[in-house]
Amino acid sequence: MKRTWTIIGVADVARSFGWYQSLFGQAKTAPAHDFFGQILDTDGTVLICFHQWGAHDHPSLVGPEHAEPGNGLLLFFRVDDFDQALIRARTLVAKLEEEPALNPSTGTLEFALRDPDGYYVMVSALDAA
């Protein structure tokens, strides 16, 4: 089995960590470090990681001034509690980027929102509508 660890550059690891925990309906915990944290699913699978801009010498994580955060990236999460995720998402942002709609390609409901750093986040139902 192979897995990816999606790591995004963020201004405040703890803020992003808490925001995604809220979106996923997870209990609030603190990230492992001020400069890095990872959100895990109940089975230990890494869902997403956060790296403070400029904390290390990673060329693509120097700072947001080098490119618009999220350009060329779509964070796409499939969830097994779509209706509850939508309710949680509405508490995190003033307005969704895309209201819930059926994706004809996947047959699943999905919606989109922006995270605190401006990344475009798509949330899709795990099962077809």
Side-chain angles (χ1 to χ4, degrees), residues 16 47 67 101-102:
S16 293
L47 297 174
L102 183 67

PDB file of all heavy atoms in Angstrom, residues 16 47 67 101-102:
ATOM      1  N   SER A  16      -4.851  26.445  11.696  1.00  0.00           N
ATOM      2  CA  SER A  16      -5.260  25.548  10.613  1.00  0.00           C
ATOM      3  C   SER A  16      -5.610  24.171  11.147  1.00  0.00           C
ATOM      4  O   SER A  16      -6.581  23.552  10.713  1.00  0.00           O
ATOM      5  CB  SER A  16      -4.148  25.436   9.566  1.00  0.00           C
ATOM      6  OG  SER A  16      -3.971  26.669   8.917  1.00  0.00           O
ATOM      7  N   LEU A  47      -4.526  12.540   7.012  1.00  0.00           N
ATOM      8  CA  LEU A  47      -5.469  13.224   6.131  1.00  0.00           C
ATOM      9  C   LEU A  47      -4.838  14.461   5.507  1.00  0.00           C
ATOM     10  O   LEU A  47      -5.017  14.720   4.319  1.00  0.00           O
ATOM     11  CB  LEU A  47      -6.733  13.613   6.902  1.00  0.00           C
ATOM     12  CG  LEU A  47      -7.544  12.460   7.473  1.00  0.00           C
ATOM     13  CD1 LEU A  47      -8.690  12.980   8.334  1.00  0.00           C
ATOM     14  CD2 LEU A  47      -8.071  11.573   6.357  1.00  0.00           C
ATOM     15  N   ALA A  67       3.996  32.724  -4.321  1.00  0.00           N
ATOM     16  CA  ALA A  67       2.895  32.271  -5.177  1.00  0.00           C
ATOM     17  C   ALA A  67       1.618  32.320  -4.337  1.00  0.00           C
ATOM     18  O   ALA A  67       1.671  32.251  -3.112  1.00  0.00           O
ATOM     19  CB  ALA A  67       3.127  30.854  -5.682  1.00  0.00           C
ATOM     20  N   ALA A 101     -23.936  20.267  -4.366  1.00  0.00           N
ATOM     21  CA  ALA A 101     -24.479  19.891  -5.677  1.00  0.00           C
ATOM     22  C   ALA A 101     -23.994  18.484  -6.004  1.00  0.00           C
ATOM     23  O   ALA A 101     -22.983  18.022  -5.478  1.00  0.00           O
ATOM     24  CB  ALA A 101     -24.011  20.874  -6.746  1.00  0.00           C
ATOM     25  N   LEU A 102     -24.711  17.850  -6.890  1.00  0.00           N
ATOM     26  CA  LEU A 102     -24.341  16.512  -7.333  1.00  0.00           C
ATOM     27  C   LEU A 102     -23.290  16.615  -8.430  1.00  0.00           C
ATOM     28  O   LEU A 102     -23.484  17.310  -9.426  1.00  0.00           O
ATOM     29  CB  LEU A 102     -25.576  15.779  -7.866  1.00  0.00           C
ATOM     30  CG  LEU A 102     -25.352  14.333  -8.298  1.00  0.00           C
ATOM     31  CD1 LEU A 102     -25.019  13.462  -7.088  1.00  0.00           C
ATOM     32  CD2 LEU A 102     -26.592  13.802  -8.997  1.00  0.00           C
TER      33      LEU A 102
END
